[in-house]
Amino acid sequence: MAVIAQKCPKIKVTVVDINPKRIADWNDEDLDKLPIYEPGLKEVVAEARGRNLFFSTDVDAAIKEAQMIFISVNTPTKTYGKGKGMAADLKYVELCARQIAAVATDDKIVVEKSTLPVRTAQAIRSILDNVGNGVKYQILSNPEFLAEGTAIDDLHNADRVLIGGDHHTSEGQAAMDALANIYAHWLPKERILQTNVWSSELSKLTANAFLAQRVSSINALSALCEKTGADVEEVARAIGSDSRIGPKFLKASVGFGGSCFQKDILNLVYICRSLGLQEVADYWEQVIIMNDYQKRRFAENIISTLYNTVSGKKIAFLGWAFKKDTNDTRETAAMYVASILMEDNAEIHIYDPKVTKQQMISDLEYLTASQHHSITTSQIKEQLHVHSDPYLATENAHSIALLTEWDEFKTYDWQLIYDEMMKPAFVFDGRNILNAKELKAIGFKLYQIGK
Ligand code: UDX
């Protein structure tokens, strides 16, 4: 929304949220207090805020005033009842639709921006159409393809924008054109694709599934490389230079994280299973199984290298965010690795440039609530140590695990770190970010994925 406001100064954009603290942070004079860390975001907010970009808690007033309403609430994986652990929880979307229905007094275009499973637009439509106050709604699907850490650039230079709507009626077509015109302020027309609503919803889920599948494919090969002496980076380069395959999303890693990949694939699996497509469901589920395997393999490699126990040992974590240039930690591989090591009684010392201690604790508490992990709240209290200085995090450590590819890690004085560690000192690199030769020269034993 900030980018829309930046690029369309004549359009008034009001972002509303029921959480007053969050809105206060978005309105804070100090732009470093914005709730989301994203390179370039504060400059965009600085340009548009107060001009045509507003943040408010008055949801009803904003609904009344708007001609177009974007529903951008979260759709986490259901943690209860039918579809638990797989289906998307549409509770928040439904609440939004009900509030719009209760408040609107003139015709609206409602745009679903959250990633939603196929046919959600129908649910929104039935809620909106059954209020009977004569207001007409057009429902569009406009999934977001930006990736965190590069969000502003992804929006400024989007490969494509998808707008799903109803081609068959003139009102439907007009609504799609109205939204297309917004994006046309800064994107060439040929990148703005119009489809039917179901195609648009399904494209978002499956685009993520295809990307995640590539990461799981290369991660599966990393395990094979370790056994056979091949170098996964060389293999990835060879595969990626086939232009039909291409070089992107072929970096072996400790496993993909983030709010989208796992959730969207689980959702896809759930939809396929609900439609009786068992084999298709199993096929996509395997991408998740491979990802879980990779995270576990990384943690177990640490334990086996440290003579089969990490009990009482200090393991330093550099990085907690699910990738660099974001403070988002949803589904980060780091928390799974931490949990497995803490089950083996390790002391985990973490440094991340952007993630708060409170966030790390709540990530681990989320895992304790899930059935696959057995760490307790008191273990989290006792075995988790968060540092604001990377050198203190690594001092006297038995090993260092690199969980996020933050650029600043490359600038550290690694000789100093090595000198202050327990010997022998090990580095486990899930993201291949350091100069392996130099680290080896100092004396580190390096464990890189795929080598
Ligand atoms: C993703 C999609 O890219 C985006 O289009 C969609 O709108 C939301 O989901 P995001 O979750 O922000 O975006 O991150 P992305 O850059 O796609 O990375 C996802 C995960 O895969 C990260 O944990 C990343 O480190 C990992 N990854 C990515 C790899 O392990 N190897 C790669 O080669 C690429």
Side-chain angles (χ1 to χ4, degrees), residues 144-149 204 208 211 215 218-219 248-261 264 322-323 405 431:
E144 189 48 74
F145 290 98
L146 64 81
E148 289 168 41
K204 172 60 201 272
N208 277 348
L211 290 174
V215 178
I218 198 70
N219 284 346
K248 290 182 181 158
F249 275 77
L250 278 178
K251 269 192 237 117
S253 63
V254 60
F256 57 76
S259 65
C260 293
F261 282 3
D264 289 352
F322 85 95
K323 64 174 190 181
E405 69 279 36
R431 300 275 161 114

Side-chain angles (χ1 to χ4, degrees), residues 86 202 205-206 209 263-273 281 284:
M86 299 226 114
L202 190 58
L205 276 193
T206 46
K263 174 174 78 99
D264 289 352
I265 296 176
L266 288 173
N267 216 328
L268 184 64
V269 171
Y270 182 72
I271 292 168
C272 294
R273 221 159 255 160
W284 286 108

Side-chain angles (χ1 to χ4, degrees), residues 314 316-319 349-353 387-395 397 400 408-409 411-414 417:
K314 173 172 176 176
F317 273 37
L318 292 182
H349 290 252
I350 309 171
Y351 167 78
D352 186 288
H387 298 266
S388 52
D389 177 344
Y391 295 94
L392 292 180
T394 51
E395 190 180 30
I400 301 175
E408 67 166 66
F409 298 164
T411 65
Y412 292 170
D413 181 345
W414 285 92
I417 290 176

Side-chain angles (χ1 to χ4, degrees), residues 8 12 17 51 58-59 82 101 108 129 138 179 181 184 201 239 281 296 298 300 316 328 354 374 387 445:
C8 313
K12 179 177 175 189
D17 197 301
R51 179 187 71 189
D58 193 345
V59 183
K82 187 161 176 267
K108 309 277 184 208
D129 282 350
Q138 292 302 322
L179 183 54
N181 283 337
E201 289 177 334
I239 298 172
R296 203 173 54 244
F298 186 83
E300 285 171 0
D328 194 340
K354 292 284 172 196
S374 57
H387 298 266
K445 288 214 172 79

